[in-house]
Amino acid sequence: KPPFHHFNALPRLSSLAGRSCDLRFRQWRHHRLVTMSQNPKKASFVIHKFKQQPPKDAEMPHKHWQKLKDAIMQIFNENAGELSFEELYRTGYNMVLHKFGDFLYSNVETLLKERSILLCEKVEKTTDEMLLSFVKQTWLDHKRSLTMVRDILMYMDRTYVKQNQRKPVYEMGLSLFCQYCTRAPRVKDRIRNLLLQLLQSERDGEKVDRHLIRSTTQMLVDMGKLVYTEDFEKPFVESSQHYYMLEAERLVSSSSAPEYLRRVESRLNEEADRVTACLSTDWSTGGVRTTVEGELIGKHMHTLVTKEGSGLVWLLQQDRLEDLARMFDLFSRVPGGQQLIEEHMAEHVSQLGRDSVQSPENSSDPLQYVNKLIAIKDRFDHIIQHAFKEEKTFTNRLHKSFEIFVNLNARSPEYISLAMDSHLRGHRSKSSTASLSEEHVEGQLEKALQMFRFLQEKDLFEKYYKQHLAKRLLGDRSQSEDLERKVIQMLKAECGYQFTAKLEGMFKDINTSRDLHGNFRAHVEQLEDPGLEVELQVKVLTTGYWPTQPVVQCHLPPEVEHACALFKRFYLAQHNGRQLTWQTSMGNAEMKARYDKQYMISMPSYHMIILLLFNDATSPLSYKDVEAASRIPPADLKRALQSLACGHFKLLVKEPRGKEVGENDVLSFNAKFSHKMIKFKVSSVAAVKETNEEVQASRNKMNEDRNPQIDAAVVRVMKARRVMDHNLLIAEVTKQLQARFTPNPLVIKKRIEGLIDRDFLQRQGANMKVYEYLA
């Protein structure tokens, strides 16, 4: 028979012991079955009586435990060299196998508790200078001893502990050591205080044993996260808060904002290195960082931003990009820090913008007005890019500030258009007589268009731009046709096709007029006696494309009148049914004038008409005589005379002398005129900007032009909604029109009343604030 009684006689330390017994039993059973199948006639089953188990030894568990206890004490005393661990394992194995696992577990627990208490007594007797080192070594020795005890009682951990859901021996030993040694009242406080003292000493610049601090805090972590948090981390955070609170109050009162921020940055880097090297805390997510940053930055950021002579505004004024970047980086670590910088930056930008747009000096020069705004925009774009990490919220806030102060000046649309007109004419810099390159001009135009984006009254800009473009095209004053078309393409991309449709039509008229002029010259050459004394070049303009001008029928010189009549017959013969209206105020002329020598002079048409009056004059002409003979409007006549008699080229002499032209002045031919240039240009001295009266007239005309757009928007919204509340209708109409202008709610209400009178809308009977659409 197989030796069943031998299976438990020699237990093995490895976990393969049970498998070996099972394998031997299976092999024997297989052998018996094979034998029975081979000899079926001899196979028989014999039933024996149960054998009497030998009586249990009542002292066995106590003897075994005493043996294990002595061995464990030898292990704790570091005398385990002569112990037979196989024999000790077998002893524990047999106790658990014979159902004495509970007895064994409770005695082990008691022994480990007593051991922890004994170690605690030794720790308490240690001086403060050696306490952390002694605790560290005791902890390491205790863990090493527990590892050996765990190996002896491995079978109890695998069976009894799992079945009864108890702590394994190793974890139980650590827990008891924590409870009765390191967390003992007279030990726990000393460990914590010594750790905090060492950390504070290092903050003060002293050199400490970082490895000792690290191993001690790691011991607390090994005992459990709760132990580490309660016994060390919370007190450490509180001490850090107190330490940095005092330091921040001292520094903020004695340092400038940049110096304080440099000191804070250095302190935070030191603290991050300290926490990483000494503690078992993650600096990036731990409460230490939040506390330290809150004390050093969060509680003083308002003081730092508003600090006189070194705060945020001063840093912005001085373009201190490095200090601004440091402030942004540090303030971003605390709640509300970025928003605080953003608000004060926007307030500073708004103040600079208001001062710029309300400055009389800037308002007197449209180009300077726009360049100042562009300079502010470029400067703060540079700051946001290099100091504020291109934060989108800062860029959006900057744009909102520009939208506010650019529209504070009602003449911003006109000034932006005039600045673009100056660039497109080929404006020369004051410091150099050389013309700017086309690439530079294109860059300036793009920046001017950035200011255009901030306008609320884009339709008013369109009106002025159309007027200035007309003057450039009709007077051939544009620097580059390619630049003109690029600007129109940029405007189209910004505002859509409808915004630039008329501007493109103006270019089409100019190109058509070039072809028409060639045909007219060919026609004149075919005539036998055209009688032309002047060369006439006519630009035929489509009324809807070009700015409307009042038709003034001034007296043209006879030779010019004859040429105009000849062209009119030629044009109407080709385009039957059309009507030509001469816009003499928009024309230019080139004249040959004889003074001390012959000059070739370019000038506006009104100047030509005035000068030709003196060809036949035998005596000086009074202002009244010139006005009656030319029938030029008084305002234009005074500007033309001022240019001819008081400008750089004094082709006429005015009495009395002065810079202004009066109705009692007398004008005569300036026979003494002389100039080194033979060919030059006389320009009108008319103000580049509109006068206040002209501005008011333009605004009234613009308001009248806006009314149909408001009506169309109201009808469009109501046709889609059918029924709508008054406030919602106002908001929706404003939203639809704000791409071109921002309508006044009172004007919208007035237009709604007009639509009700015209039976487009009606009020709802029960609620007068609700409108209904009438199909």
Side-chain angles (χ1 to χ4, degrees):
K1 296 183 179 179
F4 290 104
H5 59 283
H6 287 175
F7 286 170
N8 296 328
L10 297 173
R12 303 182 183 180
L13 289 177
S14 69
S15 60
L16 296 175
R19 299 186 202 173
S20 177
C21 296
D22 293 343
L23 182 59
R24 291 168 63 188
F25 175 73
R26 291 195 207 99
Q27 290 174 348
W28 170 82
R29 188 173 66 174
H30 176 69
H31 171 74
R32 293 289 295 171
L33 291 174
V34 171
T35 304
M36 290 171 63
S37 62
Q38 291 176 353
N39 303 288
K41 294 182 180 180
K42 296 181 179 181
S44 62
F45 292 94
V46 180
I47 299 176
H48 301 278
K49 293 181 179 181
F50 285 107
K51 293 182 180 180
Q52 294 294 331
Q53 295 291 336
K56 291 184 179 180
D57 185 2
E59 296 298 324
M60 187 270 290
H62 297 281
K63 293 177 181 179
H64 285 7
W65 165 242
Q66 187 61 43
K67 182 178 180 179
L68 289 173
K69 179 181 178 181
D70 294 341
I72 293 173
M73 293 305 298
Q74 291 292 331
I75 292 172
F76 281 136
N77 293 329
E78 300 184 359
N79 295 323
E82 299 179 358
L83 296 177
S84 174
F85 281 85
E86 182 177 359
E87 183 180 351
L88 293 173
Y89 176 84
R90 188 188 307 118
T91 303
Y93 175 86
N94 286 328
M95 287 187 70
V96 175
L97 188 65
H98 290 88
K99 309 302 182 184
F100 294 109
D102 188 64
F103 174 78
L104 176 60
Y105 188 87
S106 61
N107 280 281
V108 171
E109 184 177 17
T110 303
L111 180 60
L112 294 178
K113 177 180 176 181
E114 293 172 354
R115 177 65 181 176
S116 299
I117 294 173
L118 177 62
L119 294 175
C120 178
E121 293 173 356
K122 293 181 180 180
V123 171
E124 290 175 351
K125 296 176 182 178
T126 308
T127 61
D128 288 347
E129 290 77 8
M130 300 299 298
L131 180 65
L132 293 182
S133 299
F134 184 76
V135 169
K136 169 190 171 184
Q137 191 59 46
T138 301
W139 167 251
L140 295 176
D141 294 342
H142 189 67
K143 286 204 301 180
R144 185 171 60 253
S145 300
L146 285 176
T147 303
M148 301 170 69
V149 173
R150 178 189 62 190
D151 292 342
I152 293 173
L153 302 175
M154 187 182 298
Y155 186 74
M156 182 178 71
D157 280 347
R158 292 208 313 253
T159 56
Y160 172 81
V161 170
K162 286 186 177 180
Q163 292 171 3
N164 294 274
Q165 297 181 351
R166 308 292 290 271
K167 279 186 179 181
V169 173
Y170 185 80
E171 285 76 4
M172 178 178 63
L174 298 183
S175 177
L176 291 172
F177 183 85
C178 171
Q179 181 179 356
Y180 293 102
C181 184
T182 56
R183 300 198 79 185
R186 286 179 294 180
V187 177
K188 179 177 70 173
D189 294 342
R190 290 177 64 193
I191 293 175
R192 180 187 64 238
N193 293 336
L194 287 171
L195 287 173
L196 296 180
Q197 288 174 12
L198 288 174
L199 290 167
Q200 183 164 339
S201 297
E202 192 186 50
R203 285 171 177 161
D204 293 335
E206 299 179 18
K207 190 172 182 179
V208 299
D209 188 351
R210 284 188 167 190
H211 180 70
L212 178 60
I213 300 173
R214 176 74 180 188
S215 60
T216 306
T217 56
Q218 186 60 45
M219 175 189 71
L220 298 177
V221 172
D222 292 343
M223 293 177 182
K225 186 64 177 176
L226 182 62
V227 175
Y228 175 78
T229 303
E230 295 293 334
D231 290 4
F232 175 74
E233 189 174 34
K234 286 184 178 179
F236 175 66
V237 171
E238 292 172 2
S239 68
S240 301
Q241 181 179 10
H242 180 72
Y243 180 87
Y244 285 111
M245 177 186 70
L246 298 177
E247 178 165 333
E249 291 175 353
R250 175 176 57 84
L251 288 175
V252 79
S253 61
S254 61
S255 307
S256 64
E259 293 171 351
Y260 180 87
L261 292 173
R262 282 193 291 270
R263 179 61 177 162
V264 167
E265 185 179 46
S266 175
R267 270 301 198 183
L268 290 175
N269 292 334
E270 292 173 4
E271 195 68 22
D273 178 64
R274 183 178 301 113
V275 169
T276 304
C278 298
L279 308 182
S280 300
T281 300
D282 187 358
W283 167 255
S284 61
T285 59
V288 182
R289 176 180 179 178
T290 304
T291 302
V292 174
E293 290 175 346
E295 289 296 329
L296 291 176
I297 304 170
K299 290 186 177 180
H300 301 284
M301 57 185 182
H302 286 86
T303 304
L304 295 171
V305 166
T306 58
K307 204 171 183 65
E308 188 68 26
S310 64
L312 176 63
V313 173
W314 184 83
L315 294 176
L316 291 171
Q317 291 172 342
Q318 301 298 320
D319 291 331
R320 300 282 289 271
L321 295 180
E322 183 179 353
D323 292 325
L324 286 169
R326 183 179 293 108
M327 176 180 283
F328 176 81
D329 178 63
L330 294 176
F331 279 36
S332 299
R333 304 182 188 188
V334 296
Q338 279 193 18
Q339 291 79 358
L340 182 65
I341 296 177
E342 180 185 321
E343 289 172 3
H344 282 79
M345 183 203 74
E347 184 178 344
H348 177 60
V349 172
S350 298
Q351 185 61 47
L352 290 177
R354 285 193 296 269
D355 294 343
S356 180
V357 299
Q358 295 172 357
S359 169
E361 180 183 355
N362 293 338
S363 298
S364 63
D365 184 355
L367 183 59
Q368 179 178 333
Y369 176 92
V370 175
N371 285 342
K372 287 285 187 181
L373 296 178
I374 291 174
I376 295 174
K377 178 71 166 49
D378 289 346
R379 179 169 159 236
F380 282 91
D381 281 342
H382 182 74
I383 290 174
I384 291 173
Q385 179 181 2
H386 293 89
F388 299 151
K389 299 181 179 179
E390 299 183 83
E391 183 65 38
K392 291 296 183 184
T393 56
F394 281 74
T395 303
N396 295 338
R397 193 63 178 269
L398 179 66
H399 290 174
K400 288 181 181 179
S401 299
F402 267 82
E403 287 176 7
I404 293 173
F405 63 72
V406 166
N407 291 286
L408 289 177
N409 192 333
R411 304 189 70 171
S412 289
E414 178 189 2
Y415 291 166
I416 294 173
S417 178
L418 284 169
M420 297 177 68
D421 179 67
S422 178
H423 291 303
L424 289 167
R425 286 171 180 262
H427 173 75
R428 297 173 185 265
S429 64
K430 294 181 179 180
S431 60
S432 174
T433 57
S435 298
L436 300 175
S437 66
E438 187 170 324
E439 291 78 9
H440 180 80
V441 173
E442 184 176 352
Q444 292 298 314
L445 290 170
E446 290 178 353
K447 291 179 179 180
L449 278 175
Q450 291 179 359
M451 299 300 107
F452 162 75
R453 294 188 183 100
F454 301 131
L455 292 175
Q456 293 178 351
E457 297 180 312
K458 290 182 173 62
D459 58 340
L460 194 57
F461 168 86
E462 180 189 6
K463 167 186 172 294
Y464 286 115
Y465 188 83
K466 187 188 294 185
Q467 291 178 355
H468 299 145
L469 176 62
K471 292 179 180 178
R472 291 196 301 274
L473 294 179
L474 297 178
D476 294 326
R477 299 173 186 172
S478 182
Q479 180 186 17
S480 168
E481 185 174 342
D482 291 338
L483 278 178
E484 295 280 6
R485 294 191 179 278
K486 283 181 181 179
V487 172
I488 291 179
Q489 289 300 320
M490 288 187 283
L491 289 172
K492 181 187 291 186
E494 187 70 27
C495 301
Y497 170 77
Q498 293 182 346
F499 192 87
T500 59
K502 293 181 179 179
L503 303 180
E504 292 176 334
M506 294 166 68
F507 277 96
K508 184 178 179 180
D509 284 347
I510 295 298
N511 292 331
T512 304
S513 297
R514 292 195 186 105
D515 298 335
L516 183 64
H517 176 67
N519 296 335
F520 177 64
R521 291 185 63 178
H523 171 72
V524 171
E525 290 174 357
Q526 293 175 359
L527 297 177
E528 294 182 358
D529 185 17
L532 284 179
E533 299 180 16
V534 297
E535 182 180 351
L536 182 68
Q537 183 175 357
V538 181
K539 295 183 174 69
V540 180
L541 313 179
T542 305
T543 303
Y545 292 159
W546 296 77
T548 55
Q549 297 285 342
V551 178
V552 178
Q553 298 298 333
C554 63
H555 283 173
L556 293 172
E559 55 270 28
V560 177
E561 187 75 37
H562 173 69
C564 291
L566 183 62
F567 177 84
K568 186 174 183 179
R569 289 194 299 270
F570 162 76
Y571 183 80
L572 294 180
Q574 293 185 345
H575 302 87
N576 188 23
R578 293 190 181 181
Q579 182 178 359
L580 285 180
T581 303
W582 296 99
Q583 295 282 354
T584 52
S585 62
M586 302 173 68
N588 294 283
E590 287 189 0
M591 294 180 59
K592 291 180 180 179
R594 193 181 304 278
Y595 287 87
D596 59 330
K597 54 187 173 184
Q598 184 169 302
Y599 296 94
M600 180 66 70
I601 308 175
S602 298
M603 61 186 68
S605 298
Y606 284 162
H607 293 54
M608 174 201 69
I609 295 172
I610 295 170
L611 287 178
L612 289 178
L613 294 176
F614 290 88
N615 272 350
D616 302 327
T618 57
S619 62
L621 299 177
S622 67
Y623 173 86
K624 295 290 185 181
D625 295 337
V626 174
E627 181 180 20
S630 64
R631 295 183 63 182
I632 298 174
D636 294 330
L637 177 60
K638 288 182 178 180
R639 285 196 287 265
L641 291 174
Q642 189 178 10
S643 173
L644 293 170
C646 308
H648 182 65
F649 302 99
K650 294 180 175 59
L651 304 177
L652 300 178
V653 178
K654 180 180 77 69
E655 294 292 341
R657 297 183 180 277
K659 293 184 178 181
E660 301 295 331
V661 175
E663 294 183 357
N664 298 322
D665 291 350
V666 177
L667 300 118
S668 60
F669 178 76
N670 184 11
K672 297 180 180 181
F673 174 79
S674 177
H675 200 273
K676 61 181 181 180
M677 292 190 300
I678 298 177
K679 187 175 183 180
F680 56 86
K681 180 178 181 180
V682 177
S683 300
S684 175
V685 296
V688 178
K689 312 183 296 181
E690 290 185 336
T691 63
N692 292 331
E693 294 77 11
E694 291 173 335
V695 168
Q696 187 60 42
S698 297
R699 187 160 292 279
N700 294 337
K701 180 66 169 60
M702 182 58 61
N703 290 333
E704 293 178 3
D705 294 340
R706 287 174 177 174
N707 288 337
Q709 299 180 53
I710 297 175
D711 292 347
V714 171
V715 172
R716 193 161 51 245
V717 172
M718 288 302 300
K719 188 174 182 179
R721 302 291 183 88
R722 313 301 292 184
V723 178
M724 204 168 187
D725 179 78
H726 174 79
N727 292 333
L728 294 177
L729 179 58
I730 295 291
E732 186 64 27
V733 171
T734 302
K735 181 179 179 181
Q736 288 201 7
L737 294 175
Q738 66 184 1
R740 290 184 59 81
F741 64 93
T742 302
N744 190 326
L746 295 178
V747 175
I748 299 177
K749 183 179 179 181
K750 185 177 179 181
R751 303 311 303 171
I752 291 174
E753 296 293 341
L755 291 172
I756 291 175
D757 294 339
R758 288 182 284 165
D759 294 331
F760 282 91
L761 309 176
Q762 69 177 7
R763 299 183 186 274
Q764 202 174 61
N767 191 348
M768 299 294 289
K769 292 185 177 181
V770 177
Y771 303 110
E772 295 178 349
Y773 177 72
L774 299 176

